[in-house]
């Protein structure tokens, strides 16, 4: 698959086929992740992989609670002073699936980056966080190149600490995201998304 075809094909999936994924494919995807740029040249990332339903249910109890409390119909029909946005429609679609999109995936990849806490005092202080997201993007693109797709849940503060404790992650590491990975269900609804106008995003020399 050509590189720009991979870029166009990559999308977030929240419904997966009940189809096994060869673990050698997962290994290739993680190797692609490891080729991401790294700020300290150590590439000291780690990966926890969940495969069984029991493992996923244990790890993502908080995600199940959050998804179960969300009332999509109420959210979509609540009074607004403006027309509902595409982002809000996507939020209403995605929130009830925050547990199932992980639980139903054949594999969940949890990347870990070395940091005791995030320090956003300066942009450069976020280097460990920035580079793990380079890893994650490589994983997304490699999955698309393999004919797979990914779901993505960024843990809330409390949720992050709960999952970290459950999975016995060392205190020197943090979790940026939970990635469900598998073969996408072709019948999953595709909601309209905002398409930015690149010509309006480009600014030469300075903002104005």
């Amino acid at each position: 698959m050509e590189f720009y075809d991979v870029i166009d094909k990559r999308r977030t999936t929240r419904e997966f086929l009940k189809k096994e994924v060869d673990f050698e494919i997962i290994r290739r995807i993680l190797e692609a992740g490891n080729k991401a740029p790294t700020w300290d040249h150590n590439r000291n990332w780690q990966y926890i992989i969940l495969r069984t339903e029991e493992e996923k249910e244990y790890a993502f109890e908080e995600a199940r609670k959050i998804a179960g409390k969300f009332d999509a119909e109420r959210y979509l029909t609540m009074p607004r002073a403006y027309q509902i946005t595409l982002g809000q429609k996507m939020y209403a679609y995605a929130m009830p699936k925050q547990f199932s999109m992980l639980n139903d995936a054949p594999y969940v990849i949890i990347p870990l980056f070395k940091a005791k806490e995030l320090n956003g005092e300066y942009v450069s202080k976020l280097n460990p966080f920035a580079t793990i997201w380079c890893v994650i993007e490589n994983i997304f693109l490699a999955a698309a190149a393999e004919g797979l797709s990914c779901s993505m849940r960024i843990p809330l503060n409390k949720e992050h600490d709960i999952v970290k404790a459950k999975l016995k992650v060392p205190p020197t590491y943090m979790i940026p995201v939970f990635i469900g990975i598998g073969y996408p269900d072709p019948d999953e609804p595709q909601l309209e998304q905002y398409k930015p106008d690149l010509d309006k995003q480009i600014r030469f020399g300075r903002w104005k």
Side-chain angles (χ1 to χ4, degrees), residues 5-17 90 93 137 139-141 143-145 147-152 179-191 193:
D5 291 336
V6 172
I7 293 286
D8 289 337
K9 188 181 174 84
R10 191 223 64 79
R11 64 180 177 85
T12 300
T13 291
R14 297 179 181 88
E15 295 182 8
F16 295 93
L17 296 176
M90 181 63 76
Y93 172 74
E137 182 63 14
I139 288 173
F140 290 162
L141 295 177
L148 302 175
S149 194
C150 299
S151 61
M152 173 178 66
I179 303 170
I181 186 165
Y183 291 100
D185 185 342
D187 295 327
E188 180 181 6
Q190 298 300 306
L191 275 65
Q193 296 194 33

Side-chain angles (χ1 to χ4, degrees), residues 48-119:
I48 293 176
I49 298 177
L50 307 181
R51 297 163 294 180
T52 69
E53 192 169 302
E54 291 76 17
E55 289 173 337
K56 290 177 280 187
E57 286 186 350
Y58 175 69
F60 303 128
E61 183 181 0
E62 286 299 307
R64 182 200 284 274
K65 292 177 183 176
I66 291 167
K69 290 178 181 177
F70 186 79
D71 186 336
E73 184 176 354
R74 179 177 178 275
Y75 178 79
L76 288 170
T77 58
M78 63 189 298
R80 290 180 172 84
Y82 54 88
Q83 187 175 1
I84 192 168
T85 67
L86 296 180
Q88 288 170 330
K89 291 179 181 179
M90 181 63 76
Y91 184 76
Y93 172 74
M95 278 303 296
K97 298 178 181 291
Q98 292 300 294
F99 172 73
S100 62
M101 70 184 189
L102 298 172
N103 191 57
D104 295 348
Y107 289 95
V108 173
I109 297 171
I110 303 178
L112 307 170
F113 67 103
K114 200 164 189 180
K116 291 183 179 179
E117 61 183 6
L118 290 182
N119 183 347

Side-chain angles (χ1 to χ4, degrees), residues 17-31 49 51 105-109 142-143 146-148 181-183:
L17 296 176
K18 293 186 180 300
K19 182 178 178 182
E20 290 187 14
V21 177
D22 187 336
F23 186 68
E24 286 306 309
I25 298 176
I26 300 298
R27 289 186 62 88
R28 288 199 296 269
I29 290 169
L30 293 180
E31 287 288 3
I49 298 177
R51 297 163 294 180
Y107 289 95
V108 173
I109 297 171
E146 294 281 359
L148 302 175
I181 186 165
Y183 291 100

